[in-house]
Amino acid sequence: MQFAVHYPYFSYPGGAAATATLLSDTARAAEDGGCTLFTLMDHWFQMENLATAQDPMLEGYTGLGFLAGRTESIRLGLLVTGVTYRHPGLLAKTVTTLDVLSGGRAMLGIGAAWYEREHKGLGVPFPAMKERFERLEETLQIVRQMWSDDDGPYRGTHYSLEETICEPRPLQAPAPPIMVGGSGEKKTLAFVARYASLCNLFAADTDTVAHKLAVLREHCEREGRDPDEIEKTIISSLDPVADRDGFLREMETYAAMGIDTVCLNPHGDDPAAWARAATAAAVTPLAEMGN
């Protein structure tokens, strides 16, 4: 099992002037400690279930570009891009740029978007859920086409592209991995089976995750796909620094279910110090799980 750090919060001591140092120090601590993935959120306003909309929030891909120059080996991505945030052709170009400049470390995380307030606040259209899922599927198709040898047109219900040229090509072959985030059983997990190489599930409890994995296996069977090809990740609120033994007991259960990666948010007022302590406590025992 692998360890990932998700960095969703920027309201640390020192304010905006300290943000760049804290962020890069945390990413380097995660990398040095053996983490395989470092993610940021993709929001314009901070989520109201974490802080307030007025609390600091950085633009995601600018943040990842900054981290590409401060790290060497850790995979970088957003958990996750909302399909409404960027035109799909430009999104493919953005992730390609990140992949080239990071030396082949970009991941595209994408979902159907949900935070209506930030859309209304900044004047960005926020279609109904049905349309957002339609746009999500078309975006997945467009990105995959742009990362293929087909640079011809794309014709969809919501998007029409005359040329899907993407030069330079991503360094990763055949393409950067795609994560579809979310736990919706009818659409989201079906898109995982059809288009993605990773999924991300909220670890509310082990029974819920076990059920979602069973649904994913059913979708994979319908798509004629081996579910073992998909990296299964969870995001957890547990803290291996505060309760190492409890964290590892819980992760043993998830590893036995087939979860490959756990994503954790930093705890406390010093995210870099937390990353050093958390990786020291958990990376090695996690790596031994499921063997």
Side-chain angles (χ1 to χ4, degrees), residues 1-2 179 192 197-201 209 212-214 216-217 220 226-235 254 257-263:
M1 197 171 186
Q2 300 176 104
M179 170 193 283
V192 171
S197 46
L198 302 93
C199 67
N200 183 258
L201 305 171
V209 172
K212 300 298 182 182
L213 292 175
L216 178 60
R217 286 193 294 271
C220 286
D226 182 355
D228 290 340
E229 296 175 356
I230 298 167
E231 182 179 334
K232 301 161 189 72
T233 76
I234 56 171
I235 187 162
Y254 284 116
M257 292 162 49
I259 295 298
D260 301 295
T261 302
V262 56
C263 307

Side-chain angles (χ1 to χ4, degrees), residues 16-291:
T19 295
T21 298
L22 275 177
L23 179 59
S24 61
D25 285 354
T26 306
R28 284 197 295 261
E31 180 175 77
D32 292 344
C35 288
T36 56
L37 173 65
F38 192 92
T39 60
L40 302 176
M41 290 204 299
D42 200 17
H43 285 297
W44 306 311
F45 294 173
Q46 176 58 273
M47 298 190 304
E48 293 167 287
N49 64 344
L50 186 61
T52 73
Q54 289 78 20
D55 275 271
M57 177 52 56
L58 298 185
E59 194 282 318
Y61 280 110
T62 308
L64 292 180
F66 168 74
L67 291 176
R70 296 297 182 100
T71 57
E72 296 180 357
S73 60
I74 199 165
R75 186 165 54 179
L76 301 169
L78 297 183
L79 190 60
V80 291
T81 288
V83 71
T84 51
Y85 294 175
R86 298 167 187 83
H87 190 282
L90 300 182
L91 175 63
K93 189 68 176 179
T94 298
V95 177
T96 298
T97 300
L98 178 64
D99 197 61
V100 170
L101 296 182
S102 68
R105 295 186 283 130
M107 177 196 77
L108 169 60
I110 192 165
W114 59 269
Y115 196 178
E116 186 173 10
R117 178 176 177 176
E118 64 185 358
H119 289 75
K120 287 185 174 180
L122 298 185
V124 178
F126 187 71
M129 184 181 295
K130 179 178 183 295
E131 181 176 329
R132 297 201 309 276
F133 274 101
E134 292 170 352
R135 288 178 179 271
L136 176 57
E137 182 160 28
E138 289 189 19
T139 295
L140 289 163
Q141 293 168 354
I142 290 165
V143 168
R144 282 161 56 106
Q145 182 169 325
M146 289 188 66
W147 289 341
S148 75
D149 293 330
D150 180 1
D151 61 3
Y154 175 88
R155 299 283 185 257
T157 300
H158 302 286
Y159 302 111
S160 182
L161 286 69
E162 292 300 325
E163 297 179 279
T164 50
I165 296 170
C166 188
E167 291 293 341
R169 299 286 292 275
L171 296 187
Q172 293 183 78
I178 296 174
M179 170 193 283
V180 175
S183 302
E185 296 180 12
K186 293 182 179 180
K187 289 288 188 181
T188 303
L189 293 179
F191 290 169
V192 171
R194 193 171 304 152
Y195 300 109
S197 46
L198 302 93
C199 67
N200 183 258
L201 305 171
F202 292 106
D205 56 71
T206 54
D207 288 344
T208 298
V209 172
H211 172 70
K212 300 298 182 182
L213 292 175
V215 172
L216 178 60
R217 286 193 294 271
E218 293 171 1
H219 284 302
C220 286
E221 184 176 353
R222 282 190 284 271
E223 295 291 334
R225 188 172 182 196
D226 182 355
D228 290 340
E229 296 175 356
I230 298 167
E231 182 179 334
K232 301 161 189 72
T233 76
I234 56 171
I235 187 162
S236 173
S237 61
L238 299 177
D239 182 4
V241 177
D243 182 6
R244 180 180 184 272
D245 292 343
F247 170 79
L248 293 176
R249 281 195 302 271
E250 187 89 348
M251 291 307 113
E252 286 276 11
T253 303
Y254 284 116
M257 292 162 49
I259 295 298
D260 301 295
T261 302
V262 56
C263 307
L264 300 179
N265 302 343
H267 291 249
D269 287 337
D270 188 339
W274 176 88
R276 287 189 289 271
T279 54
V283 164
T284 297
L286 284 174
E288 294 170 352
M289 293 179 185
N291 293 334

